[in-house]
Amino acid sequence: MPEMAKAMTVTTVAALILVTAYSVALGGSGWLWFAWVVLGLVTLGVVTSRER
């Protein structure tokens, strides 16, 4: 896996942990989850395009 794809994957996982912790501590935020889903889809696109 290329370095950019690895960095995006690490960033996405870290963002998931932060959004989950925020939701547990202060309550859920739809915008944070929406942003995380968008980040996850972009990461998936990067990983998929780099594997070809």
Side-chain angles (χ1 to χ4, degrees), residues 7 9-11 21 23 25-26 28-30 32 34-37 42 44 48-49:
T9 303
V10 169
T11 302
S23 294
L26 302 174
S29 172
L32 283 177
F34 175 75
W36 183 82
V37 167
V42 169
L44 183 63
T48 303
S49 68

Side-chain angles (χ1 to χ4, degrees), residues 17-33:
I17 293 168
L18 290 173
V19 169
T20 302
Y22 180 89
S23 294
V24 168
L26 302 174
S29 172
W31 285 110
L32 283 177
W33 286 106

